[in-house]
Each structure stands twice: as C-alpha cells, then as structure tokens.
Amino acid sequence: MRDEAPCLTFTHHLTPPIAAGPYPLSFPVSEIPPISLPTASEEDLVRRLQARDESALTLFYDRYAPALFGVISRIVKADEVAEDVLQEALVKIWNSFPAYDPGKGRLFTWVLNISRNLAIDKIRSRQHRVGTRTQGLDDSLAAQRMPAPDSFRPEHIGLQEIVKTLVPEQRQIIDLLYFGGYTQSEVAEELKLPLGTVKTRARTAIKLLSKLIR
Amino acid sequence: MEDSQTYIESGILEQYALGLLAPNERAAVEAEAARQPAVAQELASIQLAFEYYADAHARELPTGMRDRVLSKVLAQVALPTPVAAAPVASAGLRADVDALARPQPAPGEAVVRPLAAAPAPAGRSRMALAASVALLLSLAGNGVLYSRWQNADHELVAMQGNQNRLAANTMVVEKKLGEIRQQNEVLRDAEFRFVALAGTPDAPADKARVLFNAKTRRVYVDVQHLPAPPAGRQYQLWALNNGKPVDAGVLTADAAAGERLERMKDIASAQAFAVTLEPVGGSASPTMPIQAMGTI
C-alpha cells in the first residue's frame, strides 16, 4: 500500500513515423536536401559530373536551374514548355558531359548554350509549324515592352542593374539575340537598321554588361 | 593590335558567344583567340557578360518542379545512353546547335562529329555505375532506417513498460478508492451504531470500535490499537447475544493493524462485542480471555 505512483513523464519522443513495409531501393528525390550554392564549387561539380556521379545532378540543379529556367522560359514563354526543355537540357548536359572541356570555357557558359539552343530549337520548330517567322519576332517585341512578370525575383539586383544600364534600344537588341535566337543581320532586317548599327549597339551593350560584373 | 581590334569590331565574337556560327567558323574564331590574347580576353569578357545577363533573368522555380524534373532526369539518365538523334536538318543558321555539346575542335584540327554519342560498353558501365550508386544509396538508406527503427522500437518498449506500470498503479488506486468510498458510506450511514471496545484491565491500551447495523445485520470492525498477535494466534470478534458469544469472524492482519475498516460476519442481534486472541483460523467458541469489550 505504501508504493508510490511512479512519476510518469512522457519525455520519450518517437522519431517521425517511418513508412512500414519494404524500404525503397533508393531515396525519393525529395529526400535529398537542397544544397545551397556555396557548398558546391564549380570545379567540384565538374569533377563529379565527369566521374558520372548522378547525385551531382541534384547539386547541378540547385545551382543552375533558376538561371537556366529563367532563360528558357524567357525564350519559350510558357512555364510548362520551359520545364520540359529544362529537363531535356539536363539530360543532354549529362549525356554530353564527357565532351565538356573546362579549359575551353566556364561550365555556366557551356550549359547556358545547350539550354538556349534547345529552347530556341523548340520555338523554331513551333514557328515552323505555324508558318511565319515574323510572328515570333512580334511576340518577342511585345514581350519586350511588357513589364517583367512577378515571378522574376524582385530582389534580384541583376535585372534592375541591366534596366538601369542599358538603353531600351540596346536591351532590345540583346534580348533578340539572346532570347530570340536571331542573327545580327536578322535583327537588322527586322528593326530596319543598318547592320553596322546593330553590331555597334550589341557590342556597346555587352561592354556595359561586362562592366557590371566587375 | 590593329589586326585584333578590327577582328573584335567585326562582331564575330558575339556571334560565336551566341552560338550563331557554323563549325568551321567556330574553329576559325578559336584559332584566332589562341593566336591573339586580346581576342581571347574579349571573348571571355563577352561570355561573362552573357552569363551575367542570363543570371539576371534567374527565376524562382515553380513549386514541385524540382522533384518532377530531377526524378525524370535521373530516370532517363539511368537508362543506357540512346544513340544521339541525328541533328535536325535545319538550315546552316542552327546547324551548330548540337556542335556546342560536342568537343570544341582545337584550332587546326579537323572537325570530327561523332555520329553515336557513346559506344555500347560505356553505356553498360554507366548502367553498372548507376546501379552501384543506387545500391550504395539503398544500403545507406537501409542503415539509417534500421537504426531509426531500432530507436523507435526501444522507445516503444519503454513506453509500454511505463503504460503497464501506470495501468497497474491505476488499478491499485481504484481498489483503494473503492474501499475508502465503502468505508465512507459506512461511517456516514446513520443506521450504524458505534460500539467502543475498551481494553480489559489485562490489556488497558487496547482500543477498537465495532460498527453495527441492526437492520442490515452488517458488522464492521475498526481497530485503533491492538498489539500485533503472537505467532499462531489471530484476533477473533464475538457478538454477545443474551450472554452467549456468537462468532463474528477473525480479523485479517490488515484489519488488526488498523489499516482499514473490515467487514465481519453478519450478526442478527447483539448487546455487546468482544475480541479474543484465538488460534489462527478462529474457534467455534472463545477459548481465550477477552482482550477488549464494549456494550451497545
């Protein structure tokens, strides 16, 4: 009768519920924690991709997908299409990686070109079906005049800097060249400008951009 | 210097950086860059400018996209590399699109475009590597899950032990509560008469009470103080009816020690109660001297 009630405290926390049943063969992608940029250096990433380390693709995604998706979606103008193109680009980057030579250029330039080219191919094939080429340019010029969509990072200084630095005529040419996939002569033709003017404006714009980096 | 400046001004480096040149033109630009540092520097600067431009257009990615894209890509990558699709037969303008993904030919070298992306053995070893990576991930995952499961199991056992103790404890408390409630009912019942049993001159310190309900014939004993019975002996309660002792039952050790009110045998009629020390089990009639006694 003297026994006292044991002091019961529920301090034991069960670990989060664990799925019963057979364990998955590998982790679902969502279990791979996103890794912030500074943890994966470009050299490290290149080395791991060269070693055919598939987990490096996740690092690659976390590091480059926002920029690649930004460029691709700017070119194809629809997020669903951009997502497909980004996926294609990642597969292509993986498959072509043995051909990448770090001595000949930075990884970002290389993957940007692959992504841009796939995206431009996408709109080219679409325009081909539709028929006219001018359609695309008109779209592109219309997009040019539209304010940046909300999904563009408002805190992103880069875009604001560019808007501040380039005059609209310069930005229009750079956008047509970079997001429209046009040659300088095609731009000259479309904008009814002498080819020399287009070249000069493009060069000036690029010079201004490279000054922003320093 | 003059020479390189003219070359830079021609706009061909921008064309190169934008991927607008045919393979032979690309090779020419690379040769020029290798020959003139000013050209190489200008080219690097242009490429960096475009990187900056692209980065400035970086977007927040739509939710769920990471899982969707990565799982599809990893699934495709795990398959053997398909033979590279023949380049789309587009006009010269975009013919170099795929060339970008291939090794950029060193200056002077012939442009060699491999038709197949990778020979079969590479595909197989890639598969093997993918399988190894998957196996390692799986092993690591199993290890983590196993240790989590073990921990959870230990904690569960500890919890169940605690729960059992708690349940046992609750039963004890409930039993005790039931007894106390019953005693309380008896004590508060006006029908019960309290009969104080006082120690005889032989044992003056002894004191007990009998609670007797003449209607229900119930008898309870409530010991205040009785010495512990010697070995082989037990206290027995007697009801005295018209001078004749009637057995009212033996007192358990608990009752004798005064731990609780104990119900005794029902008694139809009594004028007094007495307690004797009898051999264990009790006697049919008292064989020992009375230890305490009281009249109603």
Side-chain angles (χ1 to χ4, degrees):
Chain A
M1 302 304 278
R2 288 277 80 101
D3 57 329
E4 279 174 26
C7 181
L8 285 181
T9 49
F10 292 87
T11 50
H12 294 282
H13 296 292
L14 279 175
T15 41
I18 294 156
Y23 300 130
L25 250 171
S26 60
F27 287 119
V29 171
S30 55
E31 288 208 358
I32 305 167
I35 291 158
S36 51
L37 288 189
T39 57
S41 72
E42 186 174 318
E43 298 80 45
D44 185 43
L45 204 49
V46 168
R47 216 175 309 118
R48 290 176 64 178
L49 287 170
Q50 278 170 343
R52 313 312 282 157
D53 175 358
E54 281 170 31
S55 64
L57 276 172
T58 307
L59 297 180
F60 181 89
Y61 181 93
D62 290 333
R63 179 168 175 152
Y64 293 115
L68 297 182
F69 187 69
V71 169
I72 293 168
S73 63
R74 193 67 199 271
I75 295 170
V76 302
K77 297 183 185 72
D79 279 6
E80 311 84 65
V81 183
E83 190 174 319
D84 288 347
V85 172
L86 177 64
Q87 184 199 322
E88 277 175 55
L90 289 173
V91 172
K92 183 155 190 176
I93 286 162
W94 172 264
N95 288 336
S96 321
F97 207 79
Y100 169 65
D101 177 2
K104 290 209 172 138
R106 288 154 49 86
L107 179 63
F108 191 34
T109 291
W110 188 70
V111 300
L112 268 174
N113 283 338
I114 289 181
S115 307
R116 266 187 70 237
N117 288 338
L118 281 176
I120 289 166
D121 280 354
K122 197 76 154 189
I123 53 164
R124 283 278 157 86
S125 62
R126 207 163 50 194
Q127 282 161 9
H128 203 69
R129 280 201 304 274
V130 171
T132 73
R133 180 76 190 279
T134 323
Q135 186 78 42
L137 186 57
D138 287 348
D139 282 354
S140 156
L141 288 172
Q144 186 78 35
R145 287 179 215 108
M146 281 192 307
D150 292 338
S151 53
F152 282 79
R153 297 177 190 178
E155 80 277 15
H156 208 291
I157 313 160
L159 204 58
Q160 295 170 11
E161 286 288 307
I162 287 170
V163 173
K164 265 195 288 181
T165 308
L166 302 184
V167 295
E169 291 78 19
Q170 289 167 336
R171 203 178 156 207
Q172 185 183 41
I173 289 172
I174 293 295
D175 273 0
L176 284 175
L177 290 171
Y178 200 75
F179 296 127
Y182 290 87
T183 63
Q184 294 180 337
S185 355
E186 284 172 320
V187 172
E189 210 177 296
E190 271 321 308
L191 298 182
K192 312 223 164 8
L193 288 170
L195 179 59
T197 307
V198 170
K199 283 185 180 178
T200 313
R201 280 189 192 167
R203 276 185 43 69
T204 315
I206 290 165
K207 272 228 170 70
L208 289 169
L209 286 177
S210 50
K211 277 207 189 100
L212 285 177
I213 302 160
R214 282 174 212 130
Chain B
M1 208 54 206
E2 284 285 311
D3 181 26
S4 66
Q5 206 50 43
T6 315
Y7 190 74
I8 288 167
E9 307 254 318
S10 75
I12 194 164
L13 297 182
E14 285 83 359
Q15 305 270 61
Y16 178 95
L18 287 164
L20 295 171
L21 298 181
N24 59 328
E25 293 171 311
R26 295 185 67 81
V29 169
E30 281 161 9
E32 203 64 30
R35 202 170 60 82
Q36 302 193 66
V39 171
Q41 206 187 328
E42 180 70 14
L43 182 57
S45 157
I46 290 167
Q47 285 177 328
L48 215 54
F50 280 128
E51 281 191 15
Y52 180 85
Y53 196 66
D55 202 39
H57 288 84
R59 283 182 55 183
E60 301 280 6
L61 300 175
T63 48
M65 186 174 132
R66 185 176 188 270
D67 286 0
R68 282 197 304 275
V69 167
L70 276 178
S71 58
K72 281 188 206 154
V73 168
L74 288 172
Q76 279 194 53
V77 154
L79 299 171
T81 322
V83 173
V88 183
S90 52
L93 194 66
R94 304 264 8 120
D96 61 311
V97 161
D98 288 295
L100 275 167
R102 300 224 171 80
Q104 297 182 349
E109 269 178 18
V111 180
V112 179
R113 294 178 135 219
L115 282 177
R124 226 177 287 130
S125 74
R126 203 166 292 159
M127 275 285 278
L129 185 71
S132 312
V133 169
L135 182 65
L136 281 177
L137 278 177
S138 162
L139 286 176
N142 284 352
V144 169
L145 290 173
Y146 180 75
S147 82
R148 274 199 210 163
W149 171 67
Q150 284 276 297
N151 284 344
D153 211 34
H154 289 150
E155 289 187 10
L156 186 63
V157 167
M159 296 274 286
Q160 279 172 343
N162 277 345
Q163 203 193 0
N164 287 345
R165 257 189 296 166
L166 182 65
N169 212 58
T170 307
M171 262 167 64
V172 169
V173 169
E174 256 168 15
K175 194 166 167 240
K176 211 169 173 178
L177 180 66
E179 279 171 18
I180 288 170
R181 189 174 288 147
Q182 219 180 347
Q183 291 178 12
N184 194 40
E185 271 168 22
V186 172
L187 292 170
R188 292 182 64 184
D189 193 340
E191 290 295 326
F192 275 96
R193 303 186 67 171
F194 287 52
V195 185
L197 309 187
T200 56
D202 286 348
D206 292 0
K207 260 181 118 178
R209 273 197 311 183
V210 168
L211 288 83
F212 176 52
N213 185 331
K215 270 189 191 158
T216 60
R217 302 181 176 184
R218 287 208 178 162
V219 177
Y220 287 84
V221 66
D222 177 21
V223 174
Q224 268 86 46
H225 176 261
L226 283 177
R233 295 298 176 95
Q234 202 172 11
Y235 286 105
Q236 188 168 4
L237 181 70
W238 305 94
L240 300 175
N241 188 26
N242 302 323
K244 258 183 72 185
V246 177
D247 173 31
V250 293
L251 276 71
T252 61
D254 274 351
E259 294 279 6
R260 63 163 180 256
L261 216 59
E262 189 161 70
R263 185 173 171 188
M264 308 304 287
K265 290 180 180 172
D266 288 0
I267 295 296
S269 163
Q271 293 80 46
F273 287 94
V275 171
T276 61
L277 253 179
E278 297 294 329
V280 170
S283 311
S285 57
T287 60
M288 301 298 291
I290 289 169
Q291 298 285 312
M293 190 175 161
T295 41
I296 297 171

